[in-house]
Amino acid sequence: MRRAYQTDTSDAQWAYIEAHLPSPKAATGRPRTHPLREIVDAVFYIVRSGCAWRLLPHDFPPWKTVYHYFRTWRLDGTWERMHESIRERLRVRLGRDPQPSAGIVDTQSVKTTGVGGEQRGYELGGKKVKGRKRHLLVDTQGLVLKAKIHSADVFDRDGIKPLLEQVKGRFPRLSHLWLDAGYNGQGKGADWVGKVLGYTAQIVRRPAKVAPQEVMKA
């Protein structure tokens, strides 16, 4: 019996998650030696703690086994289907329709290691970050609808296209988006959203920073 971690699933959480995991295949090869709940708890520990796979505590199943399941479920869509189900369930509990009618698009640039690659670049905007950019579509509750990772040197008004092209037909009620000024541009960003996807798009201007002395005058 291993020690308990704060990231472990409760019995109620596990009962819901287990129902979304793939059923065992035909009895071929070696039988499963590690409970799936231990695998899921190990993945949650990795995600929440941010530790490297090889630094997974030894009281979990071997890291290679955990990574194998993590990767398999990523490739076959298990994680995404699970996330969609949980999001829809939460929206219903909040008194909302399970399918959103409006969303918000924004980005977050994050630094990465010094290793190069196609998905790594330097953002020329105000953030001045060398690494990758997370492009997110969320509902009005902040729940993620879709995410796209690309190089930080991709402008927001260009990066929105591959993000939203992945959601065509997946959210039938979605018809309106809120965007910031980074998505302005003729034939790009907000303009592209309206002409190609048929959504209405509203640019939300961020309030200008005001010096403390100006606040005192207000």
Side-chain angles (χ1 to χ4, degrees), residues 86-132:
I86 293 174
R87 182 190 63 240
E88 291 175 3
R89 184 181 185 184
L90 181 55
R91 284 182 58 87
V92 171
R93 292 181 64 179
L94 293 172
R96 312 302 294 269
D97 189 289
Q99 293 296 327
S101 61
I104 304 165
V105 178
D106 206 351
T107 63
Q108 179 187 32
S109 297
V110 293
K111 294 181 180 180
T112 57
T113 64
V115 180
E118 293 183 0
Q119 298 301 319
R120 180 175 177 270
Y122 184 75
E123 184 176 10
L124 298 176
K127 299 175 184 177
K128 300 294 189 297
V129 171
K130 190 173 186 178
R132 294 187 177 93

Side-chain angles (χ1 to χ4, degrees), residues 7 39 61 91 113 142 169 176:
T7 51
I39 300 295
R91 284 182 58 87
T113 64
H176 182 77

